[in-house]
Amino acid sequence: MAVASILKSRVEVDEWRNLVKARPRTLERRRRLANAAWLTAITGGFFLAVAPLVSVLWTVVSAGLNRMDAEFFTSSMRGVIGAGGGALHAIMGTVQITLASAAISVPVGILAAVYLVEYGRGAFARTLTLLVDVMTGIPSIVAGLFAFALFSLVFGPGMRAGIAGAIALSLLMTPVVIRSTEEMLRLVPVELREAAQALGAPKYRTITQVVLPTAASGISAGVMLGISRIVGETAPLLLVAGFTDSMNYNMFSGRMASLPVFIYSQWQNKGIDAAAYDDRAWSAALTLIGFVFVLNLASRMTSHLLTRKSR
Amino acid sequence: MTTATAVIAASQVDIANFSASYGSTTAIDDVSLTIPASSVTAFIGPSGCGKSTLLRSINRLHETLPDTSSTGSIRLGGTDVYGTGIDPVVVRQRIGMVFQRPNPFPAMSIQENVLSGVRLRHHRLSKATAEMLAEWALRSADLWGEVKDRLGKPGGGLSGGQQQRLCIARAIAVQPDVLLMDEPCSALDPVSTVAIEDLIAQLRREYTVVIVTHNMQQAQRVSDQAAFFNTAGAGLPGRLVEYAPTERLFSEPAEQATADYVAGRFG
Ligand SMILES: Nc1ncnc2c1ncn2[C@@H]1O[C@H](COP(=O)(O)OP(=O)(O)O)[C@@H](O)[C@H]1O
Ligand SMILES: [Mg+2]
């Protein structure tokens, strides 16, 4: 019996060897072909996706460098006709409006996400999640119209101010912050919350001392993502912050320029010396891309620093 | 003359007719047992018989999961921890817990981890007190020598066994009366396991230790009394089958099921 079973397995082993040996040529060929086909498709897809990006970047950099000079970053367009002038007023406007939107969106977004993950149960939480989803898809012009209507109702029609732009943008940024914070909070292991609770920590202390710090790097990345989402928005700002050629440091009164609107207006209202307007538009575009780039870098750095601390 | 009620040690745990459920499934049914102070009590039994559920009910962690419920009473030093007006947070401050997988807080250093219980409760510590307390807790957890030069480093950088001892240090830094341990060695290598077992032997002088373990030898090595739980099948409620001094439970069990389980015939 033992011999028979050994023989049988011998036979099987031989058959298997033959199979393996017999297959290589045809099978190997097919495998290689399939491999090559997939590699081509994947690489092709990659280049297809990256080509427009590279092209845009190349165009913006090459055209934008023309006016990357000191004057561009130190002066406004006040009284400038034709060549010269700068985008300082638009840069400052973008910085102020973006910071103000973040100041609104970050606390609201983080608190909302904490509610959804740590406290929210049942129909109310589900409705809230649905609303956040819907908000993520709001067209930016609608956010602009909302802020326009709000400020018209409160301060009378035609009110323009940087803060109105910030409120419109925060409407776009908040759902991004909620979503990404929510995801990061859900990644914090239940064991950590239980460990904190088992130490006799009240729930809110568990959240502020354990859950949020553990998720900090992810949350900061989400905030940066939210900022990148709004920093290039044009339509709402055009509507409620308006445009000006002059510096305006006051968020609460008067029109306030911003980089996207600056680009738009330079492009749209060219003077006699059209090239000067084009150059300023391209340089402003390059500055904006630089902004987003720096933000991304900063987000990577903060999350790197924060995660390294935990290792 | 003796009074009718014996003096109850402050850290004795009396469980009476206790049941706990997840939704409609009862995990542990009608358990009554007394866990004496300053000793080690082992919970043994096959997976799914409700040992963890009962353990997590002692510090009221069970109720933090959604849709859970419990009946019966658990007394700590004579006071029902489920009594009206008892804050579960206060209960947990007196009953520490160590989990199966070491779970130091990743965003905190070793010292911060040890002191986290105190800080989470809002107490402020002077630098000197903090250092003293951290050293005391780490010494009690037999970890001081290994980490004293890197107290500011993250706890995640330690080995699994060291992390678990860090978690024990964290639990005893708040000076609880009772220490619950849910399979504290099951994620550890044999050497770390021995270290934790030695530690438990020291801790039993000052704390009431309750340990869930799947390891029969471990139960025999570390515990003074052992409770054997069993369930008639998956999803059916777990019951206390036998509770006796460890030596007797293993050498002359009263129940056939206990005998079969400790002999390794099932589970
Ligand atoms: N979070 C949970 N939700 C629902 N059922 C659970 C949960 N945790 C445990 N159970 C169930 O409760 C019973 C007891 O589980 P547990 O207390 O973890 O047993 P043990 O620790 O003895 O292995 C099991 O049937 C298990 O499926
Ligand atoms: Mg268990």
Side-chain angles (χ1 to χ4, degrees):
Chain A
M1 203 175 82
V3 178
S5 80
I6 287 169
L7 273 181
K8 199 179 161 211
S9 65
R10 271 270 170 78
V11 171
E12 277 170 0
V13 166
D14 284 348
E15 269 175 12
W16 176 75
R17 279 219 182 105
N18 285 339
L19 264 176
V20 173
K21 271 188 194 152
R23 276 168 114 171
R25 258 177 241 128
T26 51
L27 206 69
E28 189 70 354
R29 182 97 146 276
R30 266 234 307 267
R31 195 182 60 75
R32 265 197 224 141
L33 268 173
N35 195 29
W38 276 108
L39 196 65
T40 316
I42 289 164
T43 324
F46 173 74
F47 279 111
L48 217 61
V50 166
L53 225 119
V54 171
S55 157
V56 166
L57 213 60
W58 175 251
T59 319
V60 174
V61 170
S62 58
L65 282 178
N66 287 343
R67 281 301 317 275
M68 280 289 161
D69 49 37
E71 192 187 0
F72 187 77
F73 292 101
T74 51
S75 58
S76 70
M77 287 299 292
R78 184 173 197 135
V80 175
I81 301 162
L88 182 63
H89 59 311
I91 294 172
M92 289 317 294
T94 284
V95 169
Q96 287 181 80
I97 291 174
T98 307
L99 285 182
S101 329
I104 300 168
S105 295
V106 171
V108 171
I110 291 180
L111 289 175
V114 166
Y115 172 78
L116 285 176
V117 176
E118 307 289 339
Y119 294 95
R121 298 269 177 276
F124 182 65
R126 274 200 303 277
T127 316
L128 219 62
T129 310
L130 182 75
L131 287 179
V132 172
D133 277 342
V134 171
M135 255 177 96
T136 318
I138 290 186
S140 58
I141 186 76
V142 174
L145 285 170
F146 166 80
F148 184 81
L150 182 72
F151 274 73
S152 295
L153 278 176
V154 179
F155 299 103
M159 160 86 178
R160 299 273 195 290
I163 190 70
I167 285 174
L169 293 188
S170 70
L171 233 56
L172 301 170
M173 181 172 171
T174 308
V176 179
V177 175
I178 296 179
R179 267 271 159 269
S180 55
T181 305
E182 226 187 311
E183 258 161 51
M184 291 306 136
L185 293 180
R186 286 192 205 283
L187 283 181
V188 175
V190 180
E191 286 91 15
L192 292 184
R193 294 185 177 84
E194 291 199 329
Q197 276 178 301
L199 283 167
K203 188 161 181 174
Y204 79 97
R205 291 288 285 178
T206 304
I207 294 167
T208 55
Q209 303 296 300
V210 173
V211 179
L212 287 175
T214 306
S217 73
I219 293 174
S220 80
V223 168
M224 297 298 176
L225 192 75
I227 291 180
S228 314
R229 162 84 176 78
I230 59 161
V231 77
E233 276 300 341
T234 320
L237 294 183
L238 202 56
L239 217 56
V240 292
F243 185 70
T244 167
D245 282 337
S246 315
M247 303 297 305
N248 178 7
Y249 289 106
N250 189 351
M251 295 281 303
F252 298 94
S253 148
R255 293 156 194 272
M256 185 177 266
S258 56
L259 278 169
V261 176
F262 177 83
I263 297 169
Y264 172 77
S265 74
Q266 289 295 311
W267 196 263
Q268 195 65 22
N269 313 311
K270 288 177 200 170
I272 319 277
D273 184 3
Y277 288 80
D278 279 355
D279 283 348
R280 280 193 294 263
W282 284 117
S283 292
L286 184 55
T287 310
L288 197 53
I289 291 180
F291 258 35
V292 176
F293 182 73
V294 168
L295 278 174
N296 268 307
L297 223 62
S299 123
R300 269 157 202 268
M301 254 154 62
T302 41
S303 70
H304 183 73
L305 283 177
L306 288 168
T307 39
R308 207 181 41 190
K309 200 187 158 209
S310 68
R311 242 182 256 129
Chain B
M1 203 182 112
T2 54
T3 49
T5 47
V7 179
I8 298 169
S11 54
Q12 172 175 316
V13 178
D14 289 290
I15 302 173
N17 305 109
F18 193 83
S19 308
S21 329
Y22 300 91
S24 56
T25 40
T26 306
I28 189 91
D29 191 29
D30 197 24
V31 171
S32 301
L33 79 156
T34 292
I35 297 165
S38 302
S39 68
V40 179
T41 304
F43 286 180
I44 60 172
S47 280
C49 67
K51 308 178 294 294
S52 297
T53 306
L54 181 60
L55 199 70
R56 291 163 55 88
S57 298
I58 297 176
N59 67 347
R60 294 188 64 172
L61 207 54
H62 176 64
E63 70 197 42
T64 61
L65 297 176
D67 205 23
T68 51
S69 61
S70 64
T71 59
S73 78
I74 295 181
R75 277 181 229 283
L76 172 60
T79 312
D80 190 351
V81 301
Y82 284 89
T84 45
I86 301 280
D87 183 353
V89 168
V90 176
V91 172
R92 291 179 206 129
Q93 293 179 352
R94 292 189 55 192
I95 307 180
M97 185 161 199
V98 176
F99 296 78
Q100 183 167 356
R101 278 213 329 229
N103 53 4
F105 299 125
M108 297 184 194
S109 70
I110 291 174
Q111 171 151 339
E112 284 166 349
N113 259 288
V114 176
L115 301 175
S116 59
V118 183
R119 295 233 163 94
L120 278 165
R121 290 175 195 182
H122 252 319
H123 298 305
R124 303 222 175 283
L125 293 171
S126 70
K127 193 163 179 286
T129 321
E131 278 166 6
M132 247 160 57
L133 179 56
E135 177 171 348
W136 170 82
L138 285 167
R139 278 189 194 281
S140 308
D142 250 344
L143 191 60
W144 175 250
E146 288 152 77
V147 300
K148 65 173 189 287
D149 299 322
R150 46 169 167 164
L151 292 173
K153 297 266 165 57
L158 301 173
S159 77
Q162 289 173 325
Q163 285 188 25
Q164 195 62 302
R165 276 180 284 152
L166 177 59
C167 292
I168 294 174
R170 178 175 72 183
I172 58 185
V174 290
Q175 298 168 11
D177 299 313
V178 180
L179 199 55
L180 310 174
M181 302 179 141
D182 194 350
E183 300 185 39
C185 301
S186 66
L188 304 182
D189 60 278
V191 175
S192 308
T193 300
V194 170
I196 304 272
E197 284 180 11
D198 289 347
L199 180 54
I200 292 171
Q202 292 168 31
L203 293 175
R204 72 179 279 282
R205 293 191 212 120
E206 280 165 72
Y207 304 92
T208 303
V209 179
V210 186
I211 178 173
V212 172
T213 176
H214 270 128
N215 181 326
M216 293 303 109
Q217 284 76 40
Q218 183 170 69
Q220 281 172 280
R221 281 193 298 265
V222 303
S223 70
D224 301 296
Q225 51 276 324
F228 171 62
F229 297 86
N230 200 1
T231 167
L236 293 171
R239 290 205 165 78
L240 176 62
V241 175
E242 190 170 352
Y243 181 46
T246 305
E247 234 182 84
R248 205 170 77 218
L249 191 102
F250 279 87
S251 60
E252 39 189 310
E255 302 286 330
Q256 189 56 42
T258 316
D260 289 346
Y261 183 76
V262 299
R265 283 195 279 274
F266 78 98

